[in-house]
Amino acid sequence: MAQVLIAEDESFTALALVDALEAQGHEVREAADGAEALEIMGEFQPDVLVTDLNMPRMDGFELIRRLNARPQGAPPVILITGLPRSKLPADLIYQAYLGKPVDHQALYALVNRLSAKAG
Amino acid sequence: MDSFTRLLDTHGMLPHGFCLLWQPGLLALHVISDLVIAAAYFSIPLAILAFVRRRTDLIAEHRRIAILFVLFILGCGLTHVMGIVVLWRPAYWTDGVIKGLTAAVSLITAIALWPVVPRLLAVPSPEQLANVNASLMAEVAARRTALEELGAVRANLEAEIQHRTAEVQALARRFQIATEGSVVTLFEQDEALRFTWLHNPRPPFTRAVLGRTGDECLSAEAQAVLRPLKEQVLASGEPLQAEVALPMDDHTGHFEIRVTPAAAADGSTGLLVAAVDISEQKRQQDHLQVILRELAHRSRNLLSMVDGIARQTAKAEGVPKEFSQRFGARLTALGQAYDLLISHDWRGVDLDTLARSQLAHLAPEAGDRLRIEGPSLDVGPETGQYLALAIHELATNAAKYGALSELGGQITLSWRRLEGPDGAPRIEVTWDETLDRPMSEAPAGRRRGFGRLLLEQLTPRAVKGQASLVFEPQAVRWHVGFPA
């Protein structure tokens, strides 16, 4: 099973994702924004990062930029956002995209695939 | 002197009166007759001379003939005078000389007259002149009538021109009022693309461009955009319309350009160009795009939130997990349809794009078992949303119970455009699913559940059409038809 960090400011969405992934047997931690995600990653090394883009304090763009700036780089990133994929900046580094509301079956498949690669 | 003396010499000769026996009556007859003749002969030359002097238009030839006649008749007159003289005085030499001179003048006159006769004959008679004059008068009258008619026509034409001029001026006034201060700039360019006329100038088409070519007064970037359009119109003779972006001093101006070939006064072909500045419209469109994107973003976040609330509610109420999964999946399908609609400015969506978007998660595993066929057809936003949900529902059932489950089979999703019974264009969408083996479990659509409600009632109602759903042991067929 994988370690998954979810960065999502909307509580119901975050809770639904946590429940869904935990039900699949994954170890899941939750952050309300990018800054909290960075704090959690000080003690929790996720195999996969599931992150929203529009968040208060630190948004997903900045979170991904800072993670990629680390010597060890960023974990595989699954974007969950209301922004259409076509409107995402070209220089944004991520491995997968899921539009909101999230298709849980697709999320399970992506987490499994990316965590397997990371492992 | 001898000759002069001889002329006066009467020696030895008898006066002519002797021959008349000095009979008084006979003498009187001769004298009176000769006097009358002489008087007449002297008066005729005077009349001729008076005539010649007054008729200054006589040609030289006629004048010469007249002078010869004067001399000839004068000579004749003198011979009659001499006829009286010689009655009493026998000056026959003098009489003879005068007769000789008269004979010479007569001869010269006769010789000179004959060649002139044909030309004199050609001189019109008074009757001919009267006829000619009459016809000339008639012609003059006809010309006068024609002139009067022409005058009337000219007056009508002038009135018409004044009327038309007033109309053109009114039109020009309306044109001026309508376009002055508007976002429309009009200009003409000659064959060499030199600006010859400009109306309602707006940057970059200012008054400074007049008399110059685009290369001389517009930026190289603007010319790179405009010149090919103009050259294309000059070459083809066909008008052309295009939306162009032109670099300005501090921003980019957006213009709707219409280039039309126009004949110049010298017969050469130039261009009439209407440039509508749509920069503000473009800015508002961009702003609307931002708003639409933000709306889409918030809508999808809201759907996500609704999904989360539903899941937590279901969990708290002990509702089976399948409810949350299916509800969430339906919301996801709706969100995907939103994405497509937003990316098309909520104007509609292409059926092929919509179908592939809803079936994308199944396509890799389905492979050849899933076929999507149909021409490029756009449907409206409302129709797009419901078709997305319907396709999602059918695909979910197929994955769980049908052709995309372990039973195996084939699905063809197709659509076509056709003419309805009333002649209006229609679109028909068909889901044709055949299974390799009979279904062992009843699919959700077979029950009176959400799927059936959506496919048989909600979707046809939303698209203002008709739908049919048929379940057979080894087939599922859904058909919906609606106005295009």
Side-chain angles (χ1 to χ4, degrees):
Chain A
M1 289 300 106
Q3 291 191 322
V4 181
L5 175 59
I6 296 172
E8 168 62 66
D9 61 322
E10 203 290 297
S11 301
F12 283 107
T13 303
L15 191 55
L17 293 175
V18 169
D19 280 359
L21 289 173
E22 282 183 346
Q24 293 289 307
H26 299 298
E27 183 184 351
V28 185
R29 296 286 293 275
E30 177 196 347
D33 56 48
E36 190 181 347
L38 282 177
E39 284 174 24
I40 292 172
M41 287 174 79
E43 58 185 43
F44 180 77
Q45 301 304 316
D47 298 314
V48 177
L49 170 66
V50 178
T51 182
D52 190 9
L53 287 176
N54 284 18
M55 291 183 290
R57 284 213 295 168
M58 182 190 294
D59 61 23
F61 300 104
E62 179 64 14
L63 171 62
I64 293 170
R65 192 187 65 75
R66 291 203 188 186
L67 289 174
N68 280 296
R70 300 187 310 178
Q72 68 271 36
V77 175
I78 299 173
L79 296 181
I80 51 167
T81 177
L83 285 173
R85 191 173 201 159
S86 58
K87 306 298 178 189
L88 295 177
D91 59 351
L92 186 65
I93 301 170
Y94 62 96
Q95 279 63 47
Y97 165 92
L98 286 173
K100 285 184 177 177
V102 173
D103 178 349
H104 286 199
Q105 299 301 321
L107 178 65
Y108 301 153
L110 282 172
V111 167
N112 289 337
R113 181 163 62 83
L114 293 174
S115 62
K117 271 190 187 173
Chain B
M1 198 62 183
D2 288 342
S3 298
F4 184 70
T5 307
R6 179 172 285 184
L7 276 177
L8 298 176
D9 185 17
T10 60
H11 185 71
M13 288 183 279
L14 292 173
H16 192 221
F18 273 104
C19 296
L20 303 180
L21 301 177
W22 299 111
Q23 290 183 19
L26 192 55
L27 285 172
L29 177 63
H30 276 269
V31 168
I32 291 167
S33 297
D34 281 334
L35 273 175
V36 170
I37 291 169
Y41 277 13
F42 290 146
S43 74
I44 290 171
L46 290 175
I48 291 173
L49 285 173
F51 174 77
V52 169
R53 207 182 65 174
R54 288 181 189 172
R55 283 294 298 268
T56 53
D57 58 330
L58 286 178
I59 61 173
E61 183 179 55
H62 293 172
R63 200 175 287 278
R64 277 196 302 274
I65 292 295
I67 296 301
L68 285 173
F69 266 91
V70 166
L71 294 174
F72 158 61
I73 293 170
L74 201 58
C76 290
L78 284 174
T79 58
H80 283 278
V81 171
M82 286 308 295
I84 296 170
V85 171
V86 296
L87 282 175
W88 286 278
R89 189 173 175 82
Y92 294 115
W93 279 106
T94 302
D95 185 32
V97 167
I98 287 172
K99 279 185 179 171
L101 287 174
T102 301
V105 170
S106 300
L107 188 64
I108 292 168
T109 303
I111 292 169
L113 185 61
W114 280 108
V116 179
V117 169
R119 290 194 282 279
L120 287 175
L121 284 173
V123 174
S125 68
E127 187 181 348
Q128 285 175 320
L129 283 174
N131 289 339
V132 170
N133 195 36
S135 66
L136 279 174
M137 291 297 282
E139 194 169 331
V140 166
R143 292 281 172 94
R144 189 172 290 126
T145 305
L147 276 174
E148 284 170 3
E149 286 172 358
L150 280 174
V153 169
R154 183 180 166 177
N156 285 340
L157 278 175
E158 280 177 352
E160 181 71 10
I161 287 168
Q162 279 180 354
H163 176 66
R164 292 290 170 90
T165 305
E167 276 186 350
V168 169
Q169 284 171 343
L171 191 64
R173 250 196 328 275
R174 287 196 285 269
F175 170 75
Q176 188 83 11
I177 291 166
T179 55
E180 199 72 57
S182 74
V183 294
V184 182
T185 298
L186 296 165
F187 56 85
E188 282 185 342
Q189 289 181 277
D190 62 15
E191 213 164 16
L193 295 181
R194 182 171 284 101
F195 287 86
T196 55
W197 174 75
L198 181 72
H199 175 72
N200 197 31
R202 290 172 62 89
F205 309 108
T206 61
R207 293 260 173 237
V209 305
L210 284 172
R212 301 159 75 187
T213 64
D215 288 338
E216 293 166 346
C217 58
L218 297 178
S219 69
E221 293 85 352
Q223 274 298 89
V225 174
L226 295 172
R227 195 182 175 88
L229 297 176
K230 294 171 182 174
E231 287 177 342
Q232 186 181 334
V233 172
L234 281 178
S236 68
E238 295 295 324
L240 185 150
Q241 193 160 351
E243 193 178 313
V244 298
L246 302 180
M248 315 280 271
D249 288 343
D250 54 351
H251 68 287
T252 297
H254 295 270
F255 294 86
E256 184 84 35
I257 300 267
R258 182 169 176 77
V259 189
T260 308
D266 63 358
S268 64
T269 301
L271 297 174
L272 171 62
V273 182
V276 184
D277 189 341
I278 55 168
S279 301
E280 179 59 22
Q281 187 185 333
K282 202 80 179 164
R283 195 189 64 74
Q284 287 181 357
Q285 277 178 356
D286 291 345
H287 182 59
L288 188 63
Q289 283 285 332
V290 171
I291 291 173
L292 276 173
R293 273 203 299 275
E294 184 59 23
L295 183 66
H297 180 222
R298 285 175 190 270
S299 300
R300 295 201 64 168
N301 277 338
L302 187 63
L303 287 177
S304 183
M305 191 176 168
V306 170
D307 180 37
I309 291 172
R311 285 175 191 275
Q312 294 312 313
T313 307
K315 186 178 171 185
E317 298 296 328
V319 176
K321 210 174 174 181
E322 193 182 327
F323 164 79
S324 303
Q325 287 172 352
R326 298 210 70 165
F327 182 72
R330 284 164 183 152
L331 285 184
T332 301
L334 193 59
Q336 286 169 343
Y338 267 40
D339 258 6
L340 293 176
L341 289 167
I342 293 299
S343 64
H344 291 82
D345 299 337
W346 210 259
R347 284 197 293 258
V349 61
D350 175 56
L351 266 178
D352 189 70
T353 310
L354 182 77
R356 291 183 190 282
S357 155
Q358 290 299 326
L359 300 173
H361 63 294
L362 298 173
E365 283 190 25
D368 293 343
R369 288 185 294 158
L370 176 60
R371 287 166 55 191
I372 302 171
E373 300 173 346
S376 176
L377 280 178
D378 280 355
V379 293
E382 180 84 354
T383 303
Q385 288 177 73
Y386 276 86
L387 285 179
L389 285 173
I391 292 169
H392 165 79
E393 207 63 30
L394 289 161
T396 303
N397 281 342
K400 279 190 173 181
Y401 313 107
L404 300 183
S405 69
E406 71 276 5
L407 295 175
Q410 177 73 44
I411 296 172
T412 301
L413 173 59
S414 62
W415 56 88
R416 59 179 182 155
R417 184 188 171 97
L418 69 165
E419 200 173 276
D422 56 352
R426 287 176 64 79
I427 294 175
E428 285 187 356
V429 180
T430 304
W431 176 278
D432 192 356
E433 181 179 353
T434 54
L435 285 76
D436 294 340
R437 288 176 288 159
M439 282 180 274
S440 55
E441 190 179 349
R446 214 164 183 176
R447 302 191 304 266
R448 286 282 165 196
F450 176 83
R452 192 146 197 165
L453 180 71
L454 176 71
L455 295 167
E456 289 187 318
Q457 294 183 36
L458 299 181
T459 301
R461 184 176 161 189
V463 302
K464 297 176 179 60
Q466 299 81 37
S468 65
L469 180 63
V470 176
F471 283 105
E472 292 171 0
Q474 282 186 251
V476 178
R477 288 193 182 86
W478 180 67
H479 174 89
V480 64
F482 51 90

